[in-house]
Every structure is written in C-alpha cells, then in structure tokens.
Amino acid sequence: MSQFAFDVARRAQQKAIRRRRAKTVLPRQCVPRLSAQQQRGRAAEQRAARYLTAQGVQILAQNLHTRLGEIDLLAWHHHTLLFIEVRSRRSSRFGGAIASVDRNKQEKLIRAAQYLLNTLPTQLALPACPPCRFDVVAIQGETITWIRHAFVSE
C-alpha cells in the first residue's frame, strides 16, 4: 500500500471519529426550553405536590408520560394509589380549573392509568393491584382545592 493511500485512509478515519464525537455532545441551543404556559403548569404541579405532602400524601412520581397520556402526580395515601390531575386557572371564567376536567380528559386519564398499572406494581414495589382512585387538585388564584374521588373508571 502506498503512502498516499495510507494518508487518505487515515484522514477519512480521523474525520469519522470527529463526526462521532460531535454527535455525542449536545450544543447549548438544543436544550429544550419550556414555554410560559408550560412553566406555569410545572409551577402549579410543584405547588400541588407541596400541598399534598403537607396533607400526608407520599408523592411517588411526577409527569408520568405514556403513549396514552400523562399523569401529573402519582401518589400513595392510606394504602391507596392516587392518580392526580393538577389543573390551574387564573380566573373562574369559562368554569375555572375544576370544570376543565371534562369527560374526555377523564377518559384519557383512565386509559393512561390502566396502561401504567401493568408495570407500576413491579417498578414501585407495590402490592399486585392496589386500590386506586382519581383525584383532582384545582388551583384557582391562591386557593387550592383537593377533590378526592373526583371520578371513577367504569
């Protein structure tokens, strides 16, 4: 093999190594940023989690994403697994925070919870199928309302 062919192969190899290394480091501008609405939603979830913790609820997870939907808070309280939806509204126009959990949202939460129940007991070391319930935490201005047994799955 000639020296020229060796040099060409070596440069191609070094170029491939640089390309691979460049892919592994994310540039700063690629870090996902939250919109103002998403930031308000995360703040409301944090506020609800603090409120529930003060009420004796153990928060197991936040923002559980499934292909069927998202569960805002997963909690444990008095031997019951809680699927908690957090809703926040600035004003009571259009029904407020509580009214925003309509039948479509309830069905979506039920499907996401059923999907999670297939894997959660083993991941969280829970009993095989613990009793479950759906709660809603509504934040309206400075008022926090915890609605236990907000709806049931049929």
Side-chain angles (χ1 to χ4, degrees):
M1 188 164 156
S2 71
Q3 183 64 31
F4 176 73
F6 178 77
D7 289 339
V8 169
R10 176 107 174 136
R11 274 183 265 159
Q13 200 174 36
Q14 289 172 343
K15 189 176 178 181
I17 290 170
R18 282 192 303 270
R19 235 182 283 132
R20 273 192 305 251
R21 286 182 184 157
K23 285 182 183 178
T24 59
V25 178
L26 286 176
R28 247 174 212 245
Q29 65 268 20
C30 289
V31 176
R33 296 185 186 252
L34 299 176
S35 69
Q37 185 173 359
Q38 289 171 325
Q39 289 174 356
R40 282 192 303 270
R42 292 281 168 92
E45 289 171 4
Q46 293 295 325
R47 190 171 164 202
R50 285 192 304 271
Y51 173 79
L52 292 171
T53 302
Q55 301 297 318
V57 176
Q58 180 186 1
I59 304 296
L60 301 176
Q62 292 184 352
N63 297 320
L64 286 170
H65 294 275
T66 71
R67 61 184 182 90
L68 298 174
E70 178 194 12
I71 303 293
D72 291 335
L73 296 173
L74 181 70
W76 187 256
H77 188 242
H78 295 297
H79 306 289
T80 304
L81 187 63
L82 308 179
F83 294 97
I84 302 169
E85 176 67 14
V86 178
R87 302 302 264 194
S88 176
R89 295 291 184 268
R90 288 188 232 176
S91 72
S92 59
R93 286 179 18 177
F94 309 110
I98 296 170
S100 67
V101 184
D102 59 1
R103 189 68 197 152
N104 289 334
K105 183 63 178 176
Q106 292 173 13
E107 289 172 0
K108 193 172 189 178
L109 290 168
I110 290 167
R111 285 193 302 269
Q114 289 171 341
Y115 183 81
L116 282 173
L117 280 174
N118 291 330
T119 58
L120 274 179
T122 56
Q123 289 177 358
L124 298 175
L126 296 172
C129 189
C132 302
R133 78 173 192 233
F134 293 94
D135 292 358
V136 173
V137 173
I139 300 174
Q140 188 86 29
E142 295 299 315
T143 306
I144 298 177
T145 306
W146 177 19
I147 303 167
R148 296 172 177 99
H149 301 284
F151 55 93
V152 295
S153 64
E154 296 172 1

